[in-house]
Amino acid sequence: MKELQFDAVVIGGGAAGMAAALELERSGCSAAILEREDHLGGILMQCIHNGFGLQEFNEELTGPEFAGRFIEKIKSTGIPVYLNTTVISLRSEGSAGQNHKELFCVSPDQGVMKISARAVVLSMGCRERNRGNVRIPGSRPAGVFTAGLAQRLVNIEGYIPGKEVVIIGSGDIGLIMARRMTWVGCKVKAVVEIMPYPAGLTRNIVQCLKDFDIPLYLSSQTTNIFGNDRVEGVEVTPMENGAMVPEKKFRIDCDTVLLSVGLVPENELSKEAGVELNSATGGPLVDAGLMTNVEGIFACGNVLHVHDLVDYVAEEARLAGSFAANWLRGGHPCMQVRLKAGPSIRYVNPGKLNPQGGNKIFMRSLIVKNDATLELKIGARVIKTLKQRHVQPSEMITVELGPKDFENVSLNAESTLEFSLA
Ligand SMILES: Cc1cc2nc3c(=O)[nH]c(=O)nc-3n(C[C@H](O)[C@H](O)[C@H](O)COP(=O)(O)OP(=O)(O)OC[C@H]3O[C@@H](n4cnc5c(N)ncnc54)[C@H](O)[C@@H]3O)c2cc1C
């Protein structure tokens, strides 16, 4: 069995993995990328629409173009990249302070490989929720796909999975696929969303549904999928005040159903390594240095929490790479203060902040509101107030906090800060 050793190993070669590896390399650490696909780039490679890179490159790029810029940098640095290499096991061995990580991977070329590293950056992305996760009743005909799978079939494999399509869930992948399926000649009959507001970005509602006159049924539950060999239609039951109204249910005929009902971080390896998970995000709980509870294991990108923009993924991953490099050099953890989600906030990431340094905090709202007020408090005392023009659960809120924000606040390791929205 081949055995390798690096300062750090990055699991996953999407936008997050590449940005983290580049930062590790820039900081003088030996780092390798392990990627199960036969190419770098991750999910970006099937996102052939534009809308990527406005912040990172100040240009509007397609997914493959955005990935291509990082792939070129990786090539020019000579960072070792192991493609077709799936990490099947991740463990932390040894006692705290002296532990090392042991990874087992498989690849057709190398068979089983054992890799040792002091630090690991988790960047395995996320996976789509499927019909089982949302318990849609009905028969089990062919023609039900997740939206991301349909995207791969159309954009990479060159197959069109059906002709008349209903999309269940209004997440961004479903919205993008509504437009894509229309462009390839399908009839997209409706997008059906259980919540009273869309789950995707406003720009995607406009550019992918409104521009193509595709109806969006909000507050509507899919209560049946019909068909034996192949999908023949779906039953939709409107909801009023949170309850279904069966007398208003209706049927939409279709031969294809695409599910866009959420994403969950890929967390099997994290769990095996003993990483504590955040029940609100499904990803690891991390501190202000993006380190998990397992010393030397860091996380970034969609494996940490599902991001709507790849630019934020790259920014967060660079931070993870630089925190990992600092930790490898023996950098001591800074003073950290707990950060929690208060009223109307679904989650706050990371779960801690460093009051003496720069912090970029990501959070998601539980409410839809114009002219909202975001407050950061310690107990009843308000430390910072930020006006938000519009908030909704699908649009990530980002806040930068630095030492100036805490100048007159006495904090210690037991303090807890709370974000709330009203
Ligand atoms: C349909 C769609 C549309 C989008 N549209 C936009 C947009 O318009 N603008 C925008 O900015 N963002 C958009 N995004 C978001 C953006 O693309 C993602 O947030 C970002 O690319 C995620 O990067 P990542 O590296 O975290 O994950 P991924 O790209 O998923 O990379 C994870 C990598 O890890 C690998 N991996 C997983 N497990 C293992 C393992 N055990 N061993 C080895 N390798 C493993 C996977 O193969 C994968 O390559 C879109 C996303 C989707 C899905």
Side-chain angles (χ1 to χ4, degrees):
M1 182 171 58
K2 190 166 179 173
E3 296 198 17
L4 298 166
Q5 202 167 349
F6 299 96
D7 293 337
V9 160
V10 177
I11 309 177
M18 290 192 288
L22 284 166
E23 192 59 34
L24 276 155
E25 201 269 345
R26 201 186 62 78
S27 310
C29 302
S30 70
I33 301 179
L34 308 175
E35 168 55 55
R36 67 183 171 195
E37 297 285 342
D38 62 2
H39 55 263
L40 291 173
I43 195 73
L44 288 170
M45 301 317 253
Q46 65 181 62
C47 299
I48 61 173
H49 56 283
N50 59 2
F52 298 82
L54 280 169
Q55 294 177 41
E56 179 75 16
F57 298 112
N58 218 5
E59 275 179 73
E60 200 173 11
L61 304 173
T62 64
E65 284 170 340
F66 185 99
R69 302 226 174 156
F70 277 84
I71 293 170
E72 285 310 312
K73 283 190 207 160
I74 296 276
K75 282 189 186 152
S76 69
T77 53
I79 292 172
V81 176
Y82 294 84
L83 297 175
N84 292 311
T85 302
T86 304
V87 180
I88 53 168
S89 169
L90 168 64
R91 288 193 192 158
S92 178
E93 303 285 347
S95 54
Q98 304 192 338
N99 65 358
H100 72 279
K101 319 296 169 299
E102 208 171 79
L103 297 92
F104 285 92
C105 341
V106 283
S107 81
D109 298 339
Q110 309 285 346
V112 180
M113 277 195 294
K114 179 176 165 185
I115 303 185
S116 302
R118 283 179 54 222
V120 165
V121 179
L122 305 171
S123 46
M124 294 91 76
C126 57
R127 67 169 73 145
E128 294 178 284
R129 294 172 84 214
N130 57 36
R131 185 174 173 181
N133 296 114
V134 287
R135 300 190 192 94
I136 302 171
S139 49
R140 292 284 180 274
V144 181
F145 304 85
T146 59
L149 172 59
Q151 186 181 52
R152 187 182 168 95
L153 289 174
V154 175
N155 291 351
I156 296 198
E157 315 288 341
Y159 295 113
I160 299 175
K163 291 182 181 148
E164 299 204 315
V165 184
V166 169
I167 299 178
I168 300 178
S170 59
D172 287 312
I173 314 179
L175 301 177
I176 300 275
M177 282 312 289
R179 178 177 65 183
R180 185 77 183 115
M181 297 298 276
T182 307
W183 275 342
V184 297
C186 303
K187 174 78 188 155
V188 178
K189 295 190 138 182
V191 174
V192 181
E193 169 60 55
I194 192 170
M195 300 303 283
Y197 47 80
L201 297 172
T202 307
R203 74 173 195 204
N204 286 335
I205 296 289
V206 175
Q207 293 170 8
C208 303
L209 300 188
K210 290 204 172 133
D211 287 358
F212 296 89
D213 291 329
I214 297 170
L216 168 64
Y217 295 99
L218 295 173
S219 299
S220 298
Q221 186 150 359
T222 308
T223 39
N224 215 334
I225 294 181
F226 303 112
N228 290 319
D229 295 336
R230 179 81 196 189
V231 172
E232 290 169 9
V234 298
E235 178 186 81
V236 177
T237 306
M239 301 181 67
E240 284 173 15
N241 303 319
M244 281 194 274
V245 188
E247 54 276 22
K248 290 194 179 169
K249 73 183 177 195
F250 58 95
R251 174 178 167 136
I252 309 174
D253 289 334
C254 61
D255 60 25
T256 303
V257 169
L258 303 189
L259 299 168
S260 180
V261 289
L263 300 162
V264 251
E266 281 280 0
N267 53 27
E268 269 64 33
L269 290 173
S270 316
K271 283 197 270 190
E272 189 201 358
V275 167
E276 198 181 332
L277 299 184
N278 179 339
S279 59
T281 60
L285 266 174
V286 288
D287 66 12
L290 300 180
M291 186 158 84
T292 67
N293 61 308
V294 181
E295 241 199 346
I297 299 189
F298 298 78
C300 56
N302 279 356
V303 81
L304 179 56
H305 60 123
V306 176
H307 294 63
D308 35 26
L309 293 182
V310 70
D311 307 68
Y312 292 145
V313 167
E315 191 182 357
E316 183 180 79
R318 267 195 294 275
L319 283 176
S322 97
F323 288 134
N326 183 45
W327 180 83
L328 281 165
R329 287 192 297 263
H332 291 292
C334 46
M335 202 267 272
Q336 302 207 10
V337 176
R338 266 191 304 275
L339 200 52
K340 76 172 197 186
S344 301
I345 305 272
R346 185 154 78 84
Y347 71 76
V348 177
N349 215 324
K352 288 187 178 174
L353 69 73
N354 168 14
Q356 286 138 15
N359 299 272
K360 181 131 191 175
I361 313 292
F362 296 95
M363 66 196 89
R364 285 200 188 266
S365 160
L366 279 170
I367 53 170
V368 181
K369 194 168 180 211
N370 289 328
D371 300 320
T373 304
L374 179 69
E375 280 184 344
L376 176 65
K377 286 189 199 165
I378 180 160
R381 178 174 166 200
V382 178
I383 298 177
K384 196 172 175 100
T385 304
L386 291 160
K387 288 283 170 210
Q388 303 289 307
R389 200 174 55 79
H390 177 79
V391 292
Q392 63 182 55
S394 58
E395 314 249 347
M396 189 114 78
I397 302 170
T398 59
V399 175
E400 295 194 18
L401 294 170
K404 264 191 164 335
D405 294 303
F406 305 105
E407 256 168 13
N408 301 312
V409 189
S410 114
L411 294 169
N412 59 45
E414 302 307 311
S415 309
T416 299
L417 297 166
E418 180 182 280
F419 273 109
S420 63
L421 259 178

